[in-house]
Amino acid sequence: MVEQDILSLLRQTKDKALAHYSKFHVASVLKTRDGQLITGFNIENSSYGLTICAERVAIFKALSEGHNDFVEVYVMCDGDEPCSPCGACRQILYEYAPDATIIMVTEAGKSRSMHIRDLLPHGFNDKSLHM
Ligand code: THU
C-alpha cells in the first residue's frame, strides 16, 4: 500500500503536468535513502519529440540538486490501471537508480511494484564503454 502522503503528493504533482498536447498527465516522486521526496511531471512541447517524461524530469532534477541514492520511484498517470515507465526512462533509472523499486500507482491507489532490474533486464551499462 502506498502511503497517503506520497499518494497526495503524486496527485498534486500530476495535476501540474504540462501535458496540453497529449492530455495524459504523469507524476513521478523519488524517495532518497534518507527519506527526501523529489517530484517531477511530464513536460510537453509543441515540437512533440522534445517532450520529457515525468520520471526523467524528477531524476534529472534530483541529480542536479545533489541526490544520488534512490530507494523508491513512484509513477502515477491518468487512468484506472498503473502504467509503467517507458523504455527511455527505464534506461535512465537503470543507471541512476539501480537499487530502486519502481512503484506504479493509479490515482485511486491501485499499485504494483517491480525492481528496475526486472523492468529492464540486460540494460545497457557503462561496462560496455570500457572494452
Ligand atoms: N509519459 C511519461 O511522463 N512517462 C512515461 O513513462 C510514459 C509517457 C508522458 C510523455 C507524454 O507527455 C505523455 O506521457 C504521453 O505519452
Side-chain angles (χ1 to χ4, degrees), residues 17-28 40-45 48 51-57 75-77 83-90:
L18 297 177
H20 27 293
Y21 300 103
S22 73
K23 316 274 188 229
F24 188 71
H25 303 82
V26 188
S28 184
F41 50 69
N42 51 330
I43 301 178
E44 300 187 346
N45 188 272
Y48 296 169
T51 290
I52 306 189
C53 296
E55 299 92 317
R56 272 177 289 158
V57 169
V75 185
M76 178 185 280
C77 57
C83 68
S84 53
C86 79
C89 290
R90 291 179 199 203

